[in-house]
Amino acid sequence: MEGLIHIYTGTGKGKTTAAVGLAVRFAGSGGKVLFTQFLKNDNSSELYALKQITNIEFLPSCNYFGFTHSMTPLIKEKAQKHYTDYLGKIINKVLSGNYGLLILDEIIAADNNGLILHGQLTDFLKNKPDYLEIVLTGRSPSQDLLNAADYISDIHKIKHPFDKNIPARMGIEK
């Protein structure tokens, strides 16, 4: 099977949920999944379930720097170093393992905020193993990421409880 590139983007809730669903489906078919997350604190509720599923491995980031709009220049510099190294670790791991699916959750936000090297990501996508399926999530992907994708799902927000100042709820948004 030829591996393709998916992008789940848009302003709506459900990008990570869609990626989790594909990871479960892929693992259920016997495939091996590497699930990774950028800009999150490694304790989202979906991770507890994913860790229970045979064939899904989660590679934690191990650092959380807060929301990008709140980062000071010093914190942003530390985050950039960390996430660039994290992406390198992910690439090395996926190339040395027998993974058929790689989830790069919120990598688009990391890319848009200069927290990874854009060329490192695009080079990896261009030179990925033929069999490897890759999912990228996040808002407003660059044109070259859109061009690299085989699937693009744009999830639009029509209405969201956050608009009424209802905070993220455990098991639903976090």
Side-chain angles (χ1 to χ4, degrees):
M1 176 175 80
E2 179 185 355
L4 301 176
I5 298 171
H6 307 237
I7 291 179
Y8 302 150
T9 189
T11 58
K13 176 191 174 320
K15 296 176 287 292
T16 297
T17 304
V20 168
L22 185 59
V24 170
R25 175 179 281 167
F26 194 83
S29 74
K32 190 172 174 186
V33 179
L34 181 60
F35 197 97
T36 67
Q37 290 187 312
F38 292 76
L39 303 173
K40 293 186 175 177
N41 62 7
D42 294 338
N43 70 357
S44 296
S45 297
E46 67 269 11
L47 299 178
Y48 298 113
L50 290 178
K51 290 176 185 176
Q52 305 303 311
I53 300 172
T54 302
N55 290 347
I56 297 179
E57 182 179 345
F58 174 64
L59 181 63
S61 160
C62 299
N63 277 317
Y64 179 63
F65 299 92
F67 291 109
T68 55
H69 64 271
S70 301
M71 289 181 188
T72 65
L74 180 60
I75 290 173
K76 188 172 182 179
E77 185 179 319
K78 288 180 182 180
Q80 182 181 39
K81 166 110 175 72
H82 171 76
Y83 288 121
T84 297
D85 291 346
Y86 181 53
L87 179 56
K89 185 176 179 180
I90 291 165
I91 291 169
N92 288 335
K93 186 167 188 68
V94 80
L95 293 177
S96 66
N98 292 324
Y99 302 97
L101 174 62
L102 171 62
I103 308 288
L104 298 166
D105 188 33
E106 287 300 340
I107 194 162
I108 294 170
D111 184 41
N112 289 342
N113 287 284
L115 299 179
I116 61 167
L117 299 175
H118 182 72
Q120 182 183 23
L121 176 58
T122 56
D123 287 349
F124 171 63
L125 295 175
K126 286 177 191 168
N127 299 304
K128 73 173 191 64
D130 291 338
Y131 59 85
L132 185 63
E133 200 87 6
I134 301 176
V135 174
L136 299 88
T137 72
R139 295 179 182 195
S140 305
S142 64
Q143 190 59 53
D144 51 347
L145 292 180
L146 293 171
N147 292 343
D150 300 291
Y151 294 88
I152 301 172
S153 296
D154 193 358
I155 302 168
H156 289 285
K157 179 187 86 152
I158 305 298
K159 189 176 187 180
H160 194 288
F162 187 76
D163 299 335
K164 296 185 211 175
N165 296 321
I166 297 173
R169 299 166 300 142
M170 185 60 69
I172 304 298
E173 290 91 14
K174 62 179 183 174

